Amino acid sequence: MMRRAAACLVLMQGVAAQTVLAPLRAAYGAVPSSPHASLLLPFDARTAVAAFWSGPDFVVVADQPLPALSHLSGDHGLFSSLDVTVLERATVIRLYLPAHPQLSFSRQSDGWILQTDVSGHAGSSSAPSAGSMPVFMPGAVLFSQKQAGRVLMLPDPASGQRLLIAPSLGVTGGVPQGRRAEGYSIRPSLEGLVIAADSPQIALRGTAEGVVLDAVALDPLPVGEKEASSEPASASVAAHGADWVWLGFGSAGGDQKASSRQPSRLDSAQTAFAAGQPWQALRVLDRTPASEAPATSTSTSTSTSTSTATRNDTAQIAGTFLHAAASLLAGHTGQAQDLNDARFGDAPATRVWRGLYLMQTGQNSQTASTLLAAGFAQMQAYPAAVRALMVPQAATYVARFGDAASAALLDSLPDESAYDLARALLQARAGQAETARVALENLTASSSAQTAAYARAALVGLMLEKDMLAPATAAEAYGKLLENEGQPSALPSGPKATIRLGQAHAFALAGQPQAALAVLDRVLAGPDVPEDVLSSAYLAILRGLVFPETVRGAPAGGAALVAPLSAAERIGLIAAHLPHVEDGPAKAKLLAGYGRLRLAGGRLDAAMAAFGQAALLQDNPVAKADAEDLLAQAALQAHRLDVAQRALDRARHPGLPEDLATQCAYDAARLAVALGDPDRALSLLERDETDAGLELRGQVYEAQKRWPQAVVVLGRLAARSVPEDGVLTERQQALVSRLATDAAAAQDSATLLRLKGWLAGRTLGVERDEQFAMQIRSIKPLSPAH
């Protein structure tokens, strides 16, 4: 094992020196000083970009899929190693520049220009903004990158570490100096913001104010600064937080507003909100002028002016937060975006509202459920009328989608009917199947049409999970729920989405992927089916199409799943639905399997694209190397030797398993032959005595018409592969016929005669037998015995 792995490494290093990239790499001993090198990347004004170093590669990431760039060329010289990978939501350009030459990256009218920096200083040739400067806020760090593009998450090409990338639409100058903090580090960049996340808690998101970094966990890392109150608070408010000030709960809790003034519209809106009437609070706020504060006279003292300004600012913040919170509870999520911004989304007192916003807008369920679970006690302290609008649905959401730690925080649910559904779901999660079943059956008779519908869907799901229903029967039961026959009111949209998600799962288990995908295609991300849950549902069904043996209940080979589908139908379903799966390591594995299907079908371009995406999205070095090697195999078949070389270069890793290391070695040898250097490949393969190694060496000798050497190698292979008696398999027949042909070409009569005796009358097939007879007759007699 050790010898083969070492041979692979030596082989690949040796072959690399003889590749089409060799002239470029020979110049890497020093940063090229001339001629000046430049590369135009034709991104339009709507495409945001980030540019940074990752090990030996300079990487440019665009926040749009740009298939036209697949054919972009770096021409000859410094940028000839250009490699483009188009993902579903991004485009990644890599340039192999291990000497790290000084580069500049600047915006032009027709795109971005990457060039060697004639000044000798790396960076943007345009004046940078202050966008890379962090602003520490309560619970978060704000990078005021006003023209930030879509935030992306990708594995670092060099290390596999999780990178959070905020590309920029305009010139920011990037981050000249990196810096480290607890749980993350800020990478140096020529453009955009690049965060290397050491902790899974670290998250990055775009807001109107810029890009916000925070930690999402029940016990989050201390990102940003601690929240500090800007003004004295009453005892009841101080016991809670700023949310009580802005929502007016302090007054509801017993504090009295100043009697020296009439209640403002903000006061009235807060009163309505605390009474559980968010729609009334919105009506009041929407009639509120921009400022109700009286004008300050010229004789007013500085201290009075400052006090008034502070009071007005506090009222404005309160009005903004109250309007967003009331909009969310009234169902107007489009007007609640402020709950996700840098000011309210991360502060300890208000981040639970961000969780509610993420829940209602169908965003990541793990982030939302963690924020809701962490703030569950906080919500329970709200006035009863507000609590009734938000806490039961939050509890049900965490019970459905939260991880075990988050669900554990719901153990002390109030003994009220509004929490019965969440309680039953928690019982099912805890393994109390019978208790949960009885509870759900009781809830199917609820006076609330929505609760009853949710309970019916959960009951079918529980029975399917516990094998009380066969998958096909469960799919039929879900269908009856969608028909809603005999129910006094229409099926609400929330339960309808939940039922369809369950029916798709049941169809998949029943071996009906077409039906499963057809149902899933009618589901939109929302509070009942968050975007990551919907992605996972697609992933599970596509995994069954790519790897049928992984489906529960499928027989060996997955015949029950794929038998009704032709190969073309199967591949078509996968290709059409891959965009619905979120980019990440799980999708990378799926793409690698899909690429194998395309490779087996001879669709080399599609296979190369799939393998390239898989390699880029994979964070495991061994799995990444496997995808790169598969890419090299497809590229070799497509005669894309430059692509094959880059893939094999990236596949090199000291910890590869023996079988993968050996396969890499064989593919590198094939590449060496294709590049016109078979002698080097042969010299590095000469110690490999495996069947595959002997086969490959035989192919190389045959391609060179070095027949005696081919006979020696294939003779060793035949000696161990072909039995002395018994019927020969097709593969054995082909090997003997090939050896005979090589021996005839080498005029090796002794080998031909040994083969004749070895076969002892056994057949090679009609045509091969005739050919072998001719080869025997061609032997020049050396003695009467012949």
Side-chain angles (χ1 to χ4, degrees):
M1 178 183 296
M2 295 291 290
R3 185 173 66 252
R4 288 185 184 174
C8 171
L9 184 58
V10 171
L11 168 65
M12 297 178 69
Q13 289 173 336
V15 173
Q18 305 299 319
T19 68
V20 290
L21 303 181
L24 176 62
R25 293 179 187 169
Y28 279 150
V31 177
S33 57
S34 65
H36 178 66
S38 65
L39 175 67
L40 172 65
L41 301 176
F43 302 133
D44 62 27
R46 296 169 296 177
T47 302
V49 299
F52 56 96
W53 287 100
S54 171
D57 291 336
F58 185 75
V59 181
V60 180
V61 177
D63 70 344
Q64 305 288 339
L66 303 169
L69 265 64
S70 297
H71 305 292
L72 186 68
S73 170
D75 295 324
H76 303 288
L78 186 65
F79 298 137
S80 63
S81 62
L82 182 142
D83 182 86
V84 180
T85 303
V86 181
L87 302 173
E88 295 294 348
R89 298 167 184 84
T91 302
V92 180
I93 297 172
R94 287 175 287 180
L95 293 155
Y96 182 75
L97 302 171
H100 282 212
Q102 298 289 339
L103 300 175
S104 67
F105 196 59
S106 57
R107 181 75 175 154
Q108 305 292 331
S109 59
D110 51 353
W112 289 79
I113 293 287
L114 177 67
Q115 57 189 338
T116 51
D117 188 22
V118 294
S119 68
H121 300 288
S124 170
S125 61
S126 303
S129 72
S132 61
M133 297 299 293
V135 178
F136 292 91
M137 307 177 65
V141 180
L142 169 67
F143 299 89
S144 50
Q145 190 172 314
K146 295 297 184 181
Q147 291 185 298
R150 185 166 40 198
V151 172
L152 304 168
M153 183 172 68
L154 292 171
D156 180 16
S159 66
Q161 186 178 26
R162 186 168 62 106
L163 296 183
L164 308 173
I165 303 170
S168 175
L169 286 165
V171 176
T172 68
V175 178
Q177 297 292 331
R179 56 182 73 91
R180 292 195 61 83
E182 186 175 359
Y184 70 95
S185 60
I186 303 174
R187 290 275 191 92
S189 65
L190 266 65
E191 192 52 66
L193 177 68
V194 182
I195 304 291
D198 301 321
S199 168
Q201 295 186 14
I202 300 300
L204 192 69
R205 71 183 190 278
T207 71
E209 295 83 2
V211 185
V212 178
L213 181 144
D214 72 333
V216 179
L218 297 178
D219 184 20
L221 293 171
V223 174
E225 63 182 15
K226 291 184 178 180
E227 187 176 33
S229 177
S230 60
E231 61 179 30
S234 65
S236 62
V237 172
H240 299 96
D243 53 332
W244 279 58
V245 179
W246 297 333
L247 296 176
F249 295 164
S251 301
D255 293 342
Q256 299 297 319
K257 291 183 173 65
S259 59
S260 59
R261 62 180 176 87
Q262 293 293 323
S264 67
R265 288 182 177 175
L266 175 60
D267 297 333
S268 300
Q270 288 174 332
T271 300
F273 187 85
Q277 301 173 5
W279 47 89
Q280 178 63 29
L282 282 178
R283 279 197 289 267
V284 173
L285 289 172
D286 287 341
R287 294 196 304 268
T288 302
S291 174
E292 291 187 329
T296 304
S297 67
T298 55
S299 60
T300 305
S301 66
T302 302
S303 60
T304 303
S305 175
T306 302
S307 176
T308 302
T310 301
R311 193 163 55 247
N312 289 344
D313 185 59
T314 301
Q316 185 178 25
I317 293 174
T320 301
F321 182 74
L322 179 61
H323 191 280
S327 297
L328 187 68
L329 296 190
H332 307 312
T333 54
Q335 301 177 33
Q337 293 179 352
D338 285 327
L339 299 176
N340 194 43
D341 73 3
R343 180 168 40 175
F344 303 126
D346 301 283
T350 53
R351 67 192 334 226
V352 67
W353 285 92
R354 179 181 158 214
L356 287 165
Y357 174 79
L358 296 179
M359 177 185 77
Q360 293 292 3
T361 52
Q363 299 187 51
N364 185 273
S365 66
Q366 292 308 298
T367 300
S369 60
T370 298
L371 294 174
L372 292 173
F376 194 69
Q378 176 184 339
M379 290 188 290
Q380 286 181 304
Y382 284 169
V386 177
R387 203 164 58 231
L389 295 176
M390 55 193 302
V391 184
Q393 62 175 327
T396 302
Y397 184 91
V398 174
R400 286 186 65 194
F401 304 118
D403 59 20
S406 296
L409 295 180
L410 305 184
D411 282 347
S412 57
L413 287 177
D415 189 18
E416 302 172 18
S417 60
Y419 298 92
D420 285 347
L421 179 59
R423 203 174 352 260
L425 295 175
L426 289 172
Q427 289 166 347
R429 289 186 58 157
Q432 303 171 29
E434 183 58 24
T435 303
R437 185 189 65 78
V438 172
L440 290 172
E441 283 185 346
N442 291 335
L443 286 172
T444 60
S446 171
S447 58
S448 165
Q450 182 155 296
T451 298
Y454 279 129
R456 293 187 189 100
L459 182 59
V460 175
L462 175 64
M463 296 178 72
L464 173 61
E465 180 186 355
K466 301 303 180 183
D467 293 324
M468 301 177 192
L469 284 178
T473 306
E476 184 180 355
Y478 281 123
K480 293 181 182 292
L481 294 182
L482 288 171
E483 293 170 1
N484 203 39
E485 291 184 3
Q487 300 303 317
S489 58
L491 182 65
S493 60
K496 185 181 294 184
T498 300
I499 293 168
R500 283 183 173 146
L501 182 68
Q503 187 181 41
H505 176 61
F507 272 134
L509 293 179
Q512 302 180 54
Q514 284 176 302
L517 291 170
V519 171
L520 213 54
D521 286 344
R522 302 182 66 184
V523 179
L524 297 177
D528 292 278
V529 186
E531 58 187 13
D532 58 315
V533 173
L534 184 57
S535 170
S536 295
Y538 276 110
L539 175 66
I541 297 170
L542 295 182
R543 188 185 291 124
L545 286 167
V546 175
F547 311 108
E549 67 278 4
T550 65
V551 178
R552 174 181 138 197
L561 179 68
V562 300
L565 302 175
S566 68
E569 288 172 328
R570 183 180 170 199
I571 288 174
L573 283 174
I574 299 167
H577 293 90
L578 269 171
H580 295 289
V581 180
E582 292 180 350
D583 288 342
K587 184 173 183 177
K589 183 177 180 181
L590 191 69
L591 283 163
Y594 172 64
R596 288 178 185 271
L597 294 176
R598 302 315 302 261
L599 183 60
R603 298 298 301 273
L604 300 181
D605 287 344
M608 290 167 61
F611 291 140
Q613 292 173 344
L616 188 66
L617 293 175
Q618 186 57 257
D619 58 0
N620 180 282
V622 173
K624 180 187 287 287
D626 185 45
E628 295 284 13
D629 180 66
L630 289 168
L631 172 58
Q633 293 178 31
L636 281 168
Q637 291 188 38
H639 304 290
R640 292 291 307 278
L641 305 186
D642 56 335
V643 175
Q645 178 61 68
R646 288 194 295 269
L648 287 172
D649 285 346
R650 291 193 293 261
R652 284 187 290 182
H653 189 275
L656 295 184
E658 180 183 3
D659 57 345
L660 179 55
T662 302
Q663 184 60 54
C664 289
Y666 295 155
D667 292 330
R670 293 185 182 97
L671 176 62
V673 173
L675 290 167
D677 195 357
D679 288 340
R680 176 168 291 275
L682 288 169
S683 67
L684 294 169
L685 281 172
E686 64 183 357
R687 296 181 181 178
D688 190 330
E689 290 295 319
T690 64
D691 288 358
L694 293 172
E695 166 71 23
L696 180 54
R697 286 159 65 189
Q699 291 176 9
V700 176
Y701 284 131
E702 288 169 337
Q704 294 183 285
K705 300 186 180 346
R706 295 165 67 176
W707 306 116
Q709 294 90 336
V711 169
V712 171
V713 170
L714 292 183
R716 292 208 295 271
L717 179 60
R720 71 171 64 154
S721 303
V722 181
E724 295 184 7
D725 51 31
V727 177
L728 301 181
T729 66
E730 169 61 29
R731 184 173 182 178
Q732 291 165 347
Q733 291 173 2
L735 176 58
V736 172
S737 179
R738 180 179 163 196
L739 177 56
T741 300
D742 291 352
Q747 298 183 356
D748 186 346
S749 301
T751 296
L752 286 171
L753 291 173
R754 279 196 298 270
L755 284 176
K756 180 181 178 182
W758 200 356
L759 287 174
R762 292 179 291 177
T763 182
L764 298 176
V766 175
E767 293 184 5
R768 291 180 183 138
D769 283 344
E770 292 178 358
Q771 182 182 23
F772 185 60
M774 292 176 59
Q775 291 163 345
I776 292 294
R777 288 195 296 269
S778 70
I779 297 174
K780 296 179 180 179
L782 297 178
S783 70
H786 293 164

